[in-house]
Structure formats: structure tokens, C-alpha cells
Amino acid sequence: MGLLYSTLKYLAVTLWSVFVIAPFLWAISTSFKDFQSVTNGATYIPWVDFEPTLEGWRALWKSPAQGGVAIVEPFFNSVFVTAAGSAISIVLGTLAAYALSRFTFKAGPIRNGDITFFFISQRIMPPVVLAIPFFIMLGKFSLLDTLMGLILVYIVLLMPIAVWIMVDFFNKVPREIDETALIDGCNPYQAFYKVVLPNSIPGIVVAGMFCMIFGWTDFFFSFILTFTEVQLLPVAIVALNSSITPWWSLSAAALVSVAPLVFVAFIVERFLSKGNLSGALK
Amino acid sequence: MAEIELKNIAHSYNPQAADMTYALDPFNMTWVDGGRYAILGPSGCGKTTMLNIMSGIVQPSEGKLLFDGVDVTTLSTSERNIAQVFQFPVIYGTMTVEQNLAFPLVCRNYEKSVIDAKVEEVAKALSLQGLLKKSASRLTADQKQLISLGRGLVRDDVAAVLMDEPLTVIDPDLKFRLRRQLKEINQKYRSTLIYVTHDQNEAMTFAENIIVMDAGKIVQVGTPAELFDRPKTTFVGYFIGAPAMNFFECQAAGGYKLSIGSAVIMTGTDLSKVGSAPFKLGIRSEYIRIVEVKGANTFSAYVQRVEDMGNYKLVTAVFEGHVIKVKVERDIAVPADSVELQLPAENCCVYAADVLVS
Ligand SMILES: Nc1ncnc2c1ncn2[C@@H]1O[C@H](COP(=O)(O)OP(=O)(O)OP(=O)(O)O)[C@@H](O)[C@H]1O
Ligand SMILES: [Mg+2]
């Protein structure tokens, strides 16, 4: 029983790993190929099946005029928009969530739970619904095709996630901790930033990670709300898929676009395994 | 340090609702400066609510709170300068033990030297010296509770120290030591100490005055002896003492007399002015005597059971359907079947509609 179970378990994990890792391996090997090695049937092992080259990677820096794909500017645009959008969402979302968790709001029949749901409901709507309103609004304020406009849109998209995660987190932080801080001599603001906030870093890290993932991987809005001035990475990569696709550069660009998420995942994993998420309270 | 007065204080958690209920019924109470009090009562009777009103965590729906005659009802928690310890450990997980203990002083801008001295003193009293540099989140539950206690004790200028069943999570051995230490600290600084507990022994040994609460009401305030000898209601009689007070349904039999079935008992209470409410006679099992011969205030009861409780014997006897518990010394011989029981008049408490007739 035990042996069979663990065999099956490892088999399942192995299968799943192959399933997840194979595309990466394929992308990595493709990124070192040239036109010849891509088009002459399937090749797998560098130096044996094909002669590796760095051309695909070099093209990332070069402008299209030089035969490159110029992915650097979209990359940093994406970093800037995602970081700014996530940071602002986390700050506003954490404050909103704390208020929703600790104070009672009443507006007619509306209560705290309804307000929290209102935030989340923004994410339940299919994004397409928001495309035209966003387009019109950004147009009115001349924010179409600007980083600023994208950041605003991302705040709208990411803040519900931050609010949702942080409300849940604060609800699990015992109220006694705030009350004790008040008794110990803090005013309500000090109680929040001296005591509750330091204890909430794990929640903020998780919320921040989700914001970054959702922001970084958004294609839809950055595609619709930008044209020529500003381009984000996902849009730039998809744009490579033209009549003669440079598969090597496309693979390299795709790997570059995944790298930051892998990096974030490793950091968060480190953070989690240090036990910072558990035992912070009680 | 201050005398704390609650004037017509009442609290409801649903003040606007149509079926509004009081968690605390309107009441008055004065806590003498430097007093050592215990609040005793069953779960949900409003003990925590009362403490939270005093510390300002809860705004009372009605009434006023005075510290030394000054109205503090609208002052914030920090302005009231009260220390409060909750039932479950509350620690600042991102700080060390030392920072935890110092926090109430740091928040109030005490001088570094004062803080260090005070933290050391408290750490010593609670045997936390070895842990000072440790992160507070990496401690056991009772160590964490010691820190909560410590934070309640570092300031000696507080108006009062409120403790809400602080020793629940602590093991009995340490509990005993801590209780003594709290008593010593209270005697040293003479700060008012209000201590919620559901353990009557703790209350009896710890406090100068005990407040018994039931269903949002204060039913009796008194010394442990008063609560034991003259419980104001049958509830207090049941709640305090082990075993609970004996109660008998009875009828007025003229003057100071009551009849329990066929027995007529002389009490210390003049019943001629009291109407014909349903009477109950209450007497502690400690005060019932086993006698050899029939006499005044005696009746013969049938012995059902004799339990050896170590330092005393607990006799369960039955008289005309009434069950009577009698505590007797260990070396007194208890007859096997029938005993003469005597209820001394001065120990008989008479209750009309469950309230003591005085
Ligand atoms: N925040 C709250 N909202 C609504 N009702 C409450 C709240 N806190 C307490 N109550 C109710 O008020 C009453 C008194 O509660 P309180 O916590 O003061 O009791 P307690 O004597 O401290 O009980 P315990 O021994 O269980 O701690 C209870 O009926 C409880 O259900
Ligand atoms: Mg309580």
C-alpha cells in the first residue's frame, strides 16, 4: 500500500514536472538555434544535433533596422508599469482592507462585506467589458498610449486582488493586537503602522506577488490601450509572430519575459520557507 | 493611580436593533484606588465587556466613567493610561521579548534608562531574563502570556491594571507562583488590580473584594468571607463554594421560624415583615453539624453516601426528599444510616424570591 502509493505519487509528480519543464527546455534550445536548425526537422541536443548560436539573444538588443527585435524598452516599460501599479495597489489596498476589516461601515443596506465584494466583483467581470470604457476614459484625458494611462488601468485591475487578500489576512489578525497597542499607548495610526503593519508583511508579500503576476502577464489591456509610443513586453513578443517568425529571438524573448516571475517565485519561496508566514501571530 | 467610578454604565452590542439586549445592564460601581478585585461569573455574563469599557476599547452605550472624579468617558484608550492583559497571549511577533516589554514605555516616551531598569525588573519578576533577546514569535504559549503580563506590569503609574483571565493558558505550578507575584507587585505599587477569573479559588485567595456577575448584572460585591457566609442571591450561593450552598424550599412558620417539611427551623432573620414569597433556606455544608441528641433546629436525616475528600468528609444525606450536603472533619464518625443534623440559626440565610432577606 505504502510503496504503491509513493510510487504512484512520484510518478505523478514526475509526469507533471515533464509537462511543465519540457516547453522551457524546448524554448531554451530553440533560442540558441539559427534558421537552418529550426527549419531542418526536429533537433534536440546542442553541438550534437545542431550548432548553437547567440544570434537569437543578440537580436533582443538590436533595433528592427539592424535585424533585431528591440525587446529592451518594452521590457523596462513592463517592469515600470507592473511595479508602479502593484506598489500603488498594495498601499491603497492594504489601507482599504484594514479599514474594511476593523471598522463597521453602513450605507443604507450596504455593509463591510458588500464593499469587499464590490472590489472583488471588478475581477469577476470579463475584462472585455471594461475595454471600451477604459479606452474612452483614457482618451478623454489624453492618456491613451502612455505609461501613466496603463498604470491607472493596472491599479484598477490589481487593487481588488490586494484588497481581497489583505481583508482576509487582517481578519485573521486578532483584534486584540490592535487593542493591546492602544492600551500600550499608541494612537490608532501608530497601532496600525507600528504593530499591525509589521505583522502583516507576509500577507503583503503574497498580495504583492499576485499583483505582480497579474500585472506582468496582462496582454489584453496593454494591447488595446497602446499603439506606437508605448509598448509592453507581452505585446512586443506577440508582435514578433509575423509572416517569417524569428523563432530563436521569439524563444529568447519569451524566456526573458518569464524570468522575472521565476525570480519573484524564488524569493517568495525563500521567504515562505524561512517560516516568516507562519507563527507571526499567536 | 486613581479611583475609578462607573456611573449608570450600561452596554449593548446592538443598540439600534428592535430587540436590543444589554450585554451589561445599567449599574454603578466604584473601584477604590489600590484595591485588589476579582470579577467572577459564568461565561458570557459581561466580564470582558466591563473591562473593555474601563480601558476604552468599548464605548459604553450609556453612563459615565470617572477617574478620580474626572469624566474620562470620551478619552481614548491611550489617554486613560490603563494596563490590560487579555485571556490569550498577545505579542508583537516582529519584536524581541525585550522590545515587547519596553513597548508601553517607548510609546509613552520614557527615558531610556528608566525603560531599561523597568524592563529588567519585570523580566526578573516573571523569570524572562534569559529570553530578552529572543524573537517573541518563537516562544511557547505560556512564555508569550508572560510577556503579555509583563507588558501590563511595566508601567507603575497606570490608573489600573485589568487582567482578563490571564492565567488560563498557564500550567498550574507556574500559575500558583504568578498569582503570588501579582499580589506582591500589587502590594508594592498599590495600583488598582482588577482580575477576571472563572476560578473561585483563585478569586478567593487573590482578591480583597470579589464582584460576582451573572447575565449582565453585578449580583454581589464583597469580601470572600461575606460571599461565603451571606450570599446575596441563591445564584451566588450556588456559584461560590464547593460544594454549592444547600438550599431548601420552605414555608414561613411565624416570627423567625421556617418549616422545612415537618422540621421547624429557627433562623436569625425576622420574617414577619416579609410577605409570603416562596422562601428558601440556604446554609453552607461547612456550618451544618452532626449532633448526638435531638434539640432545637435539628432533624434526622438518612445518610446516603459518605465521601472521603482527603482533608474532610462529605456526607450526602436526605431529609423528606431534600438532599443535604454536610462537610465534616475527617475524624468524626458518621453513623451509617440515620443522623441528627443541626442547622445553627446564625448560619441560616433566608431567601425570598431568590434574594437574601436581611
Ligand atoms: N463584539 C461583540 N459583539 C456582539 N456581542 C458581543 C460582543 N462581545 C461580547 N458580546 C456578547 O456580550 C455578552 C457579554 O460578553 P463578554 O465577552 O463580556 O462575556 P464574558 O463574561 O467576558 O465571557 P467569557 O467568560 O466567555 O469571556 C455575551 O452574551 C456576548 O455574546
Ligand atoms: Mg471574557
Side-chain angles (χ1 to χ4, degrees):
Chain A
M1 171 64 207
L3 186 66
L4 182 68
Y5 175 74
S6 60
T7 313
L8 283 176
K9 196 169 71 180
Y10 279 104
L11 198 69
V13 172
T14 311
L15 271 175
W16 180 246
S17 305
V18 169
F19 192 72
V20 170
I21 295 169
F24 279 90
L25 291 178
W26 192 247
I28 290 170
S29 95
T30 306
S31 71
F32 292 105
K33 292 176 182 175
D34 56 14
F35 186 77
Q36 289 291 314
S37 347
V38 171
T39 45
N40 290 352
T43 51
Y44 304 96
I45 306 162
W47 289 291
V48 179
D49 284 347
F50 65 92
E51 200 52 39
T53 156
L54 283 174
E55 270 320 299
W57 289 90
R58 286 207 188 96
L60 299 185
W61 276 267
K62 290 182 192 157
S63 69
Q66 299 164 296
V69 293
I71 217 87
V72 176
E73 199 190 321
F75 179 85
F76 283 108
N77 281 344
S78 266
V79 168
F80 179 66
V81 171
T82 306
S86 300
I88 296 170
S89 301
I90 288 291
V91 171
L92 296 179
T94 302
L95 292 172
Y98 185 67
L100 284 169
S101 157
R102 288 301 193 263
F103 305 106
T104 309
F105 296 97
K106 279 184 200 159
I110 295 168
R111 296 286 180 277
N112 289 33
D114 306 306
I115 302 172
T116 310
F117 179 75
F118 171 77
F119 277 105
I120 305 164
S121 67
Q122 306 305 305
R123 297 294 308 196
I124 295 174
M125 248 186 305
V128 193
V129 176
L130 295 171
I132 293 171
F134 275 156
F135 194 91
I136 295 171
M137 282 192 274
L138 292 192
K140 276 247 159 50
F141 295 102
S142 316
L143 288 170
L144 278 173
D145 209 11
T146 63
L147 291 177
M148 191 60 196
L150 283 175
I151 290 173
L152 283 177
V153 169
Y154 278 22
I155 292 170
V156 175
L157 296 176
L158 301 182
M159 208 172 83
I161 302 172
V163 170
W164 183 43
I165 294 176
M166 291 313 291
V167 165
D168 200 51
F169 189 86
F170 284 135
N171 283 344
K172 288 195 190 106
V173 176
R175 258 164 206 273
E176 280 84 359
I177 239 185
D178 313 39
E179 290 169 354
T180 301
L182 295 179
I183 285 162
D184 285 347
C186 294
N187 63 37
Y189 300 101
Q190 292 169 326
F192 177 68
Y193 73 80
K194 281 190 180 172
V195 171
V196 179
L197 209 53
N199 272 308
S200 309
I201 287 172
I204 292 174
V205 168
V206 171
M209 187 187 69
F210 274 102
C211 285
M212 279 191 261
I213 291 174
F214 278 103
W216 186 257
T217 54
D218 167 70
F219 170 75
F220 184 70
F221 289 103
S222 50
F223 181 66
I224 290 180
L225 303 174
T226 60
F227 318 112
T228 52
E229 291 296 314
V230 171
Q231 201 178 31
L232 295 195
L233 191 56
V235 180
I237 292 174
V238 172
L240 294 180
N241 194 0
S242 56
S243 49
I244 14 161
T245 306
W247 290 110
W248 41 94
S249 299
L250 182 63
S251 299
L255 288 171
V256 166
S257 82
V258 174
L261 290 188
V262 175
F263 181 69
V264 167
F266 269 112
I267 296 203
V268 171
E269 207 268 343
R270 263 295 161 83
F271 189 80
L272 290 175
S273 63
K274 255 170 62 190
N276 280 333
L277 267 190
S278 58
L281 301 158
K282 281 237 166 148
Chain B
M1 277 166 244
E3 178 180 272
I4 301 177
E5 202 180 342
L6 295 104
K7 267 195 170 166
N8 299 317
I9 289 275
H11 190 69
S12 165
Y13 284 104
N14 55 348
Q16 256 100 56
D19 56 343
M20 189 274 268
T21 50
Y22 278 122
L24 267 184
D25 287 3
F27 70 100
N28 289 296
M29 174 79 206
T30 303
W31 311 86
V32 176
D33 188 9
R36 197 166 58 240
Y37 296 91
I39 303 180
L40 199 57
S43 195
C45 68
K47 307 183 294 284
T48 302
T49 307
M50 170 128 75
L51 292 197
N52 287 350
I53 285 174
M54 284 191 262
S55 63
I57 292 169
V58 168
Q59 267 297 318
S61 344
E62 296 166 25
K64 270 193 204 158
L65 186 69
L66 310 177
F67 284 10
D68 281 336
V70 182
D71 188 345
V72 298
T73 321
T74 55
L75 287 193
S76 74
T77 301
S78 62
E79 288 165 321
R80 291 187 194 184
N81 198 14
I82 278 220
Q84 186 172 7
V85 179
F86 297 103
Q87 181 169 7
F88 294 101
V90 179
I91 47 129
Y92 305 130
T94 51
M95 302 183 194
T96 63
V97 172
E98 190 173 23
Q99 288 166 331
N100 263 275
L101 293 178
F103 194 71
L105 302 171
V106 172
C107 282
R108 289 168 203 274
N109 303 315
Y110 279 72
E111 280 185 28
K112 175 105 174 57
S113 57
V114 179
I115 296 178
D116 290 346
K118 215 47 212 169
V119 166
E120 199 189 310
E121 183 188 336
V122 167
K124 193 160 160 242
L126 300 175
S127 316
L128 286 168
Q129 295 113 311
L131 301 173
L132 283 178
K133 301 290 175 208
K134 255 192 150 176
S135 163
S137 59
R138 307 216 188 285
L139 301 178
T140 62
D142 39 344
Q143 287 171 332
K144 286 183 184 175
Q145 185 64 358
L146 287 183
I147 295 172
S148 303
L149 269 174
R151 272 201 323 262
L153 298 173
V154 279
R155 289 181 283 144
D156 45 34
D157 61 342
V158 289
V161 181
L162 314 180
M163 300 203 163
D164 197 346
E165 304 192 30
L167 304 183
T168 313
V169 294
I170 295 201
D171 71 49
D173 219 31
L174 187 56
K175 210 182 223 175
F176 186 76
R177 225 193 63 212
L178 282 174
R179 214 185 290 154
R180 243 192 21 227
Q181 220 128 32
L182 287 178
K183 211 166 163 174
E184 272 167 27
I185 291 172
N186 169 264
Q187 279 158 349
K188 184 167 167 196
Y189 294 111
R190 295 310 297 173
S191 49
T192 312
L193 185 57
I194 303 174
Y195 188 100
V196 167
T197 175
H198 56 251
D199 177 349
Q200 49 165 303
N201 287 324
E202 194 164 276
M204 293 277 191
T205 54
F206 181 77
E208 298 160 339
N209 275 291
I210 297 179
I211 291 86
V212 183
M213 294 184 64
D214 181 33
K217 288 188 182 61
I218 293 180
V219 279
Q220 185 165 8
V221 180
T223 63
E226 282 165 1
L227 257 56
F228 188 79
D229 290 343
R230 311 283 297 168
K232 265 204 184 135
T233 66
T234 52
F235 169 80
V236 180
Y238 280 120
F239 198 73
I240 304 259
M245 201 174 200
N246 290 294
F247 287 102
F248 310 103
E249 307 278 344
C250 47
Q251 276 78 43
Y256 285 68
K257 293 201 202 74
L258 279 172
S259 61
I260 309 170
S262 62
V264 175
I265 304 292
M266 185 75 184
T267 72
T269 313
D270 184 3
L271 299 167
S272 51
K273 287 179 289 246
V274 188
S276 58
F279 285 114
K280 274 184 191 159
L281 187 149
I283 183 161
R284 292 283 177 196
S285 46
E286 284 82 353
Y287 294 138
I288 301 178
R289 281 187 221 137
I290 294 181
V291 289
E292 306 278 307
V293 288
K294 276 190 196 299
N297 276 15
T298 65
F299 52 79
S300 31
Y302 157 72
V303 178
Q304 200 175 46
R305 198 163 59 236
V306 181
E307 289 157 282
D308 192 345
M309 310 296 274
N311 51 349
Y312 65 91
K313 276 193 231 170
L314 185 62
V315 180
T316 308
V318 181
F319 167 69
E320 292 177 11
H322 300 282
V323 176
I324 309 157
K325 303 258 183 195
V326 185
K327 247 182 184 178
V328 293
E329 279 174 36
R330 203 162 49 164
D331 40 0
I332 287 185
V334 180
D337 43 2
S338 175
V339 279
E340 285 300 316
L341 297 180
Q342 186 182 38
L343 314 185
E346 70 271 23
N347 299 123
C348 290
C349 302
V350 183
Y351 295 85
D354 289 322
V355 177
L356 183 70
V357 182
S358 51

